Amino acid sequence: MLVFHILTLFPEFFSGPMDVSILKRAKEKGLVRIELLNIRDFSKDKHRKVDDYPYGGGAGMVMKPEPIFEAVEYASCTVDAEKRKVILLSPQGSVFNQDMARELAKQEHIILICGHYEGVDERVKTIITDEISLGDFVLTGGEIPALAIVDATSRLIPGVLGSNESLKEESFSSGLLEYPQYTRPEVYRGLKVPEVLLSGNHREIERFRRKEALRRTLEKRPDLFKKLKLTQEDKSLLEEMGFGCQD
C-alpha cells in the first residue's frame, strides 16, 4: 500500500475528487491510503494562526515553520516506511512529469505539503526531499498540484487500473502521445472510422496506431519527439507520412 499524507490549510478542498473513479477504487482495494492533515491543527497559537509577516518587509504573508515541521513529524510517525518522500508543492520546484510519477509510485509513503500565501518559511526546505511544480503559472495554493500528483501516481500502482495494457498505451507512458480512438457509431455526421480499425487485421491496426502516435507527437509535442529513440520501423512510418528522415 502507498500512503499519502496531504498537509493543507483546506482539507475540504479534497472532498469529492478523492472519492470517485480510479482513486475511490484504489482506496477500496487497499492499494492506496490518503490522509488529510490540517496544518492549523499543529499551530500553538490560540487562534490557530499559521502565517506571519516576512522578516525584512514585503507584501503578503509567509507560512510559519513550526506547524509544518510538526505536521511532517506526526505524519512520519504514523507510517513505518523505508521509502518516503516529503514533497513541497511550490512554483520553484521541478516540473512534474510522467517519469516523476513512476518514481513516486515506487515509494511507500508520500507527504505532500501544500504551500499558500507568499510561500513557506525557507527553513521548511531542510525537511523536504523534493520540491515540485505543475508548471509556469500561478495557482492559489498547492492543493491542485497535490491532487494531480496523487492521481497520476496512484494509477501506476499495480492493480489500480483494470488493464495493464491501458496503462502502457496512455499518452507519455511510452514517450509518445496516444493514438486517436474511435467507438460506435461507425459513421456519424459523415465522419467515418478509419477502415483499418474495422479490418480485424491486428498487425495493420497496430501499425496504424503507431504511425498516428508518431504523427501526433511530432506535430503537437516536438519537445517530446526529440527525446524518442526511433526504431527503423518508426523511421519508415515517418517517411510514409512525408516527414522525411528523423534522427
Side-chain angles (χ1 to χ4, degrees):
M1 176 187 288
L2 173 54
V3 180
F4 291 94
H5 271 99
I6 302 176
L7 280 50
T8 173
L9 297 178
F10 303 101
E12 61 273 19
F13 175 92
F14 297 94
S15 60
M18 299 291 193
D19 298 314
V20 295
S21 190
I22 299 294
L23 289 179
K24 179 183 179 182
R25 294 201 295 272
K27 292 193 294 182
E28 290 174 345
K29 290 178 179 179
L31 299 171
V32 169
R33 192 172 96 225
I34 303 169
E35 302 284 347
L36 302 174
L37 293 181
N38 190 332
I39 296 171
R40 295 186 190 280
D41 291 342
F42 297 87
S43 172
K44 304 300 184 186
D45 183 87
K46 66 179 181 180
H47 301 296
R48 303 175 79 210
K49 186 176 181 182
V50 294
D51 62 325
D52 212 328
Y53 294 103
Y55 278 123
M61 306 290 276
V62 176
M63 290 181 71
K64 293 163 63 66
E66 313 101 291
I68 297 176
F69 268 72
E70 295 196 18
V72 169
E73 288 166 359
Y74 173 84
S76 299
C77 289
T78 61
V79 179
D80 183 16
E82 293 182 5
K83 297 180 180 178
R84 177 184 289 117
K85 293 280 189 181
V86 180
I87 299 169
L88 174 64
L89 289 318
S90 158
Q92 299 176 29
S94 302
V95 177
F96 187 63
N97 58 31
Q98 191 70 8
D99 287 337
M100 287 187 189
R102 288 193 193 97
E103 189 60 34
L104 292 179
K106 299 174 185 176
Q107 305 301 312
E108 298 171 355
H109 187 204
I110 296 173
I111 300 173
L112 298 166
I113 305 170
C114 300
H116 262 275
Y117 309 121
E118 291 303 308
V120 302
D121 186 292
E122 189 70 15
R123 289 166 288 190
V124 168
K125 296 180 182 178
T126 63
I127 59 169
I128 67 172
T129 59
D130 302 87
E131 198 169 357
I132 292 178
S133 166
L134 279 195
D136 298 332
F137 50 90
V138 179
L139 292 170
T140 303
E143 283 74 18
I144 290 175
L147 183 57
I149 289 171
V150 170
D151 187 280
T153 301
S154 296
R155 61 191 296 111
L156 296 176
I157 298 170
V160 168
L161 292 185
S163 167
N164 287 333
E165 288 304 311
S166 295
L167 187 57
K168 290 177 185 175
E169 293 177 0
E170 286 183 331
S171 291
F172 308 113
S173 290
S174 64
L176 289 169
L177 298 184
E178 191 175 7
Y179 50 77
Q181 298 276 17
Y182 297 87
T183 188
R184 293 177 177 83
E186 186 178 323
V187 180
Y188 180 68
R189 297 193 178 186
L191 302 171
K192 297 182 178 180
V193 174
E195 287 294 332
V196 65
L197 298 178
L198 308 173
S199 68
N201 186 325
H202 296 296
R203 169 60 185 149
E204 286 303 311
I205 291 171
E206 183 181 332
R207 194 169 184 274
F208 167 81
R209 287 175 168 172
R210 183 71 180 181
K211 180 189 287 189
E212 291 305 311
L214 287 165
R215 183 204 304 274
R216 279 189 168 186
T217 308
L218 179 57
E219 291 178 345
K220 297 183 178 183
R221 290 294 304 273
D223 57 317
L224 288 178
F225 188 86
K226 289 177 183 177
K227 300 175 184 178
L228 292 174
K229 292 182 179 179
L230 298 174
T231 65
Q232 192 57 50
E233 184 177 7
D234 289 340
K235 293 177 182 178
S236 298
L237 292 172
L238 288 164
E239 288 180 10
E240 283 180 23
M241 293 185 285
F243 289 113
C245 183
Q246 301 284 334
D247 295 315

